[in-house]
Amino acid sequence: MSIKETALPKVQTKLFINGKWIDGDSKEVKDIINPATGEVIAKIAQAGPGETKQAIKAAKDAFPDWANMELAERVKILHKIADLMEQKADKLAKIMTLEQGKPLKESKGEVLTGVENFRFAAEEARRLYGETIPAPNNHAFIVKKQPIGVVAAITPWNFPGGMVTRKIAPALATGNTVILKPSGDTPLSALAIFEIFEEAGLPKGVANIVMGSSKEIGETLTDSDDVRKLTFTGSTKVGQSLFKQSAGTLKKISLELGGHAPFIVFADANLEQATSDLVAAKFRNNGQVCVSPNRIFVAKEIKEAFTKLLITKVEKLKVGNGLDDVNIGPLIREDAMDKIDQQLKNAKDKGAKVLTGGGRLTGSDYDKGNFYQPTVLDEVTREMDIFYEETFGPVIPLINFETEDEAIELANDSEFGLASYFYTKDLARVEKVSSALEYGMVGANEIAISNPETPFGGVKHSGFGRENGHFGMEEYIDVKFINLKYRD
């Protein structure tokens, strides 16, 4: 592969506040590392409390005009953003792969999902209907939906484009203004999207982006009374901290936090479908997905056949630089590999067996990046850390069960409640199990649980609030009641 093919496309590296690209006051920069090669691919300007306050003021000042803009004009701008993203999809995908590591095909898919996020939000904005409620004579009870105001969005590194569009598209569509704080590991995709905002004619101050210390920026956003909504995707620990910090200003909050998804395979399941779906879902983005299957419960009577088929498919996967023709890219950082090493050691010490994989990939170009073998781990029990801890890596832990009720109990034995999956041909079981699983999303014979039209979110320690669909739009509005008296 030539240097030209691996070079980072031209993209901004500065803060974007009130319609201008600026350096941080400190002039400090942060290196952005390609996780496949260990190379520095960009140096990003850093903001502190001062620049964050500037962004808040810019968003506050821009809010009245944006909120009161004719809906048709606002929709037109959002469609322009979607069109430009689609036109620049190859460039955006390459930027994403270089900074995050995922295979180029996955990056392209994420970009195109972002396009759909903007298109859906633009059209759904036309359907934010109010209500009239039956009222006494000479009165009208009117319910209006209005934008909240300034929205702070904090996004993670694992989907550096998709999470940005999932939050910003509905926020803008409903008439709010935004300050984005992207992950410090993968800000380039967000910056490239903000370049598109500028090109599409988004008015100054409507969308602002600041990179820098998560603690300093987070505290500035949560302490501000001018920020009326906080949306965050990331770890449960950080989400809990932001929740506490926001208490003083009583912000509206939505939190999409950790997950530890069960994947149940009943004895009557289609094993070809179940194994193919498991491999696709587990190894997407190298397992660095909040809805990734992390605990695989397999009916005892089909365990041998299921495992044999699964290993055959796992061992065909190709790991490497996401710019090459591979199925799996690198993990984001070396500490991600450290965590997997620790989980596997703990499990093996307590009796688990590695059926394939089980370690870091070394030699040749693997030594330059964060590459790990796709791994299948058998005879996993509740005594092992991996049963309760989110892995965020390419490991499939297999766990036996004998009865339907046991499978449900095992699946629900988690503090998390984001995504869950199960496979069966029994429609009565589909109804029972989908109702019994304590998760915000359930895939029954299906792994596609994230769509622009459908609600995405969890329960328990996986957070609250929903993204996508009209449910996600509602997160960015206030409901106002008006009691109108016509005459005395």
Side-chain angles (χ1 to χ4, degrees):
M1 188 179 294
S2 70
I3 293 176
K4 182 178 180 181
E5 290 173 317
T6 60
L8 179 71
K10 185 178 180 181
V11 62
Q12 270 288 352
T13 57
K14 297 183 178 183
L15 316 173
F16 189 67
I17 299 175
N18 203 28
K20 295 180 180 179
W21 295 99
I22 62 172
D23 290 313
D25 292 340
S26 69
K27 306 301 180 185
E28 291 182 8
V29 294
K30 182 180 187 295
D31 290 344
I32 304 303
I33 309 296
N34 181 340
T37 65
E39 297 172 334
V40 175
I41 57 173
K43 294 180 180 293
I44 301 297
Q46 299 292 283
E51 297 89 340
T52 305
K53 289 176 181 177
Q54 292 175 36
I56 294 171
K57 184 180 185 305
K60 181 182 179 182
D61 291 346
F63 172 67
D65 286 346
W66 180 248
N68 292 315
M69 179 183 285
E70 285 287 344
L71 178 59
E73 185 62 25
R74 200 159 69 224
V75 167
K76 182 179 178 181
I77 293 173
L78 297 181
H79 275 301
K80 179 65 172 176
I81 291 170
D83 291 343
L84 288 170
M85 284 186 65
E86 188 169 39
Q87 292 168 22
K88 300 172 187 286
D90 289 335
K91 173 186 174 180
L92 294 171
K94 187 174 182 181
I95 290 170
M96 189 180 300
T97 292
L98 285 167
E99 70 171 341
Q100 200 275 339
K102 66 183 64 178
L104 199 57
K105 183 178 179 180
E106 287 188 24
S107 295
K108 181 76 171 285
E110 184 173 335
V111 172
L112 295 179
T113 297
V115 171
E116 292 307 309
N117 286 339
F118 268 100
R119 287 181 176 154
F120 178 85
E123 290 307 308
E124 192 65 15
R126 303 180 190 272
R127 295 183 285 272
L128 281 176
Y129 305 125
E131 295 181 37
T132 57
I133 298 171
N137 289 340
N138 302 325
H139 287 74
F141 287 171
I142 302 167
V143 178
K144 295 182 68 174
K145 295 180 179 179
Q146 297 182 317
I148 291 175
V150 177
V151 173
I154 303 176
T155 53
W157 52 262
N158 57 337
F159 289 93
M163 292 297 101
V164 170
T165 60
R166 181 187 280 182
K167 295 180 185 301
I168 291 184
L172 296 182
T174 47
N176 301 283
T177 54
V178 178
I179 302 121
L180 174 70
K181 195 283 178 190
S183 166
D185 291 320
T186 57
L188 296 172
S189 293
L191 288 163
I193 291 171
F194 269 69
E195 288 181 325
I196 288 173
F197 290 170
E198 186 179 29
E199 185 177 350
L202 194 68
K204 69 176 185 178
V206 171
N208 308 271
I209 183 169
V210 290
M211 296 81 68
S213 164
S214 296
K215 183 177 186 298
E216 289 185 353
I217 293 174
E219 288 180 353
T220 304
L221 293 171
T222 55
D223 287 348
S224 173
D225 276 307
D226 291 329
V227 176
R228 298 312 312 144
K229 160 79 180 182
L230 174 70
T231 173
F232 169 77
T233 296
S235 72
T236 295
K237 182 179 179 181
V238 174
Q240 289 169 329
S241 177
L242 290 169
F243 189 26
K244 292 176 183 177
Q245 290 170 209
S246 298
T249 52
L250 293 175
K251 300 185 194 313
K252 187 172 185 177
I253 297 180
S254 52
L255 301 173
E256 195 261 283
L257 309 176
H260 202 40
F263 189 104
I264 307 170
V265 185
F266 289 101
D268 65 336
N270 180 325
L271 297 190
E272 177 64 35
Q273 179 192 6
T275 51
S276 293
D277 283 2
L278 174 57
V279 169
K282 176 69 249 189
F283 297 109
R284 179 170 72 112
N285 201 13
N286 210 353
Q288 300 170 120
V289 184
C290 56
V291 297
S292 179
N294 272 351
R295 296 169 299 144
I296 317 307
F297 302 104
V298 185
K300 189 174 182 180
E301 56 264 49
I302 60 164
K303 177 72 177 303
E304 183 176 350
F306 176 88
T307 303
K308 183 178 180 181
L309 190 57
L310 174 66
I311 290 175
T312 299
K313 294 179 179 182
V314 170
E315 291 182 341
K316 291 179 180 178
L317 296 172
K318 185 177 180 181
V319 182
N321 190 314
L323 294 178
D324 295 328
D325 183 18
V326 298
N327 305 109
I328 302 173
L331 292 162
I332 187 67
R333 293 183 304 271
E334 186 172 3
D335 60 357
M337 296 197 292
D338 293 340
K339 180 179 180 180
I340 297 171
D341 286 341
Q342 292 164 8
Q343 284 190 340
L344 290 180
K345 182 180 185 305
N346 172 270
K348 288 187 291 184
D349 287 347
K350 295 180 179 180
K353 297 180 180 178
V354 174
L355 302 183
T356 188
R360 304 183 186 205
L361 285 162
T362 58
S364 187
D365 289 340
Y366 287 136
D367 289 336
K368 301 176 183 178
N370 307 318
F371 296 100
Y372 213 94
Q373 294 174 318
T375 299
V376 178
L377 188 66
D378 198 10
E379 299 185 25
V380 172
T381 67
R382 296 187 212 235
E383 287 69 39
M384 301 169 188
D385 292 344
I386 201 167
F387 188 94
Y388 292 107
E389 292 180 1
E390 187 175 20
T391 302
F392 244 56
V395 180
I396 291 179
L398 299 177
I399 303 151
N400 297 339
F401 72 86
E402 295 187 4
T403 69
E404 183 180 277
D405 288 342
E406 181 189 9
I408 293 170
E409 190 275 328
L410 285 166
N412 286 338
D413 187 14
S414 173
E415 66 179 0
F416 299 107
L418 188 57
S420 57
Y421 312 88
F422 69 94
Y423 284 71
T424 181
K425 296 175 184 175
D426 186 336
L427 287 180
R429 175 177 283 153
V430 168
E431 171 59 28
K432 176 183 176 180
V433 176
S434 60
S435 297
L437 288 171
E438 297 169 356
Y439 293 83
M441 296 174 288
V442 179
N445 300 317
E446 179 58 81
I447 55 173
I449 57 171
S450 178
N451 311 280
E453 306 86 358
T454 58
F456 186 101
V459 297
K460 300 193 287 189
H461 283 211
S462 291
F464 48 80
R466 292 295 181 268
E467 295 184 312
N468 291 348
H470 72 84
F471 302 93
M473 301 286 282
E474 299 280 346
E475 295 286 336
Y476 296 94
I477 63 170
D478 280 331
V479 174
K480 178 179 286 185
F481 167 62
I482 302 168
N483 183 355
L484 171 61
K485 185 176 182 180
Y486 290 114
R487 57 185 178 274
D488 292 331

